Amino acid sequence: HPMGMPPPMMGMAPPPGTHMHPWEHYHMMQAQHHHQAMMHAQHAQQQAAEQKKKAADEKRRRQEEEKRKREEEAKRKKNEENAVKNIMQVVQKLRVATPENFDALKKELEDTLAKEIPVAGNQATRMKDEAEKALSTAQKCIEVINARRKLVEDKRREMEAKQKALEDRAKSLMEELNGLVTSAEEQSKKLVEVARPLGGLPVKAPQLIQG
């Protein structure tokens, strides 16, 4: 028998209805086994490839999910920072508010909080506290400013009233003085007219009148 090939089994008969030589039957069985082994290997390779692809897809999916989360976190932090910045800008303006612009700044703060607090994240509570403190402080400052302004205005009116009273008194005195002078002149004229039929007034009469 050929080298490397097992000897034919004694008494092996070909399949019924065939005239196949035992060697041919042996080679056929070997071919079938080889084919089955190849099919099994191909199936195993295919499964390994599918598992590898599945693992790669899962890894890519995780990487994309992590990237998406990082981008969302970065976006959230940026929105949070912008919200804090926008709110604090109005808070700073409110801290130096005047009676003339207080109402407008208060409305601006309310609008800004309504827009920015929903995206302020972990800073939302702190921003609300900052806004409330700034508003309360501004209101107290406005009250102090208005009280001082009223005090100054009341003092100004008081001084104006006193000044007017002095001016009115001076005017009254001047009118009184003018009245006295006019009256003296009229009396002097009457005296001259009365004395005319008597030969006129003595030379020293004016001195007497002056006395």
Side-chain angles (χ1 to χ4, degrees), residues 184 187-189 191-192 195 200-211:
Q187 290 178 3
S188 178
K189 288 180 182 180
L191 184 58
V192 170
L201 292 173
V203 177
K204 293 184 179 181
Q207 295 178 355
L208 293 173
I209 295 173
Q210 292 177 0

Side-chain angles (χ1 to χ4, degrees), residues 123-167:
Q123 300 295 324
T125 300
R126 186 173 72 87
M127 287 298 96
K128 288 180 181 179
D129 292 341
E130 289 286 348
E132 290 176 0
K133 290 177 183 178
L135 185 60
S136 176
T137 301
Q139 286 175 332
K140 293 177 181 178
C141 289
I142 296 304
E143 290 174 0
V144 171
I145 292 173
N146 287 334
R148 289 178 178 175
R149 287 184 178 182
K150 185 177 183 303
L151 185 63
V152 171
E153 180 64 18
D154 291 344
K155 192 68 176 177
R156 184 186 65 80
R157 290 180 179 179
E158 181 183 349
M159 293 180 66
E160 287 181 352
K162 289 181 178 180
Q163 181 67 23
K164 188 175 184 304
L166 290 174
E167 291 175 355

Side-chain angles (χ1 to χ4, degrees), residues 97-127:
T98 64
E100 289 73 21
N101 65 6
F102 174 74
D103 290 338
L105 289 177
K106 181 180 178 182
K107 178 67 167 55
E108 183 179 353
L109 179 64
E110 292 172 351
D111 293 343
T112 302
L113 288 175
K115 177 183 177 183
E116 302 295 350
I117 284 298
V119 294
N122 297 330
Q123 300 295 324
T125 300
R126 186 173 72 87
M127 287 298 96

Side-chain angles (χ1 to χ4, degrees), residues 57 64 95 134 197:
D57 291 342
E64 291 175 352
R95 286 173 178 169

Side-chain angles (χ1 to χ4, degrees), residues 161-186:
K162 289 181 178 180
Q163 181 67 23
K164 188 175 184 304
L166 290 174
E167 291 175 355
D168 290 344
R169 178 60 178 162
K171 183 179 179 182
S172 177
L173 290 174
M174 286 298 297
E175 290 176 351
E176 184 178 348
L177 179 58
N178 289 335
L180 291 174
V181 172
T182 301
S183 177
E185 289 177 351
E186 290 176 353

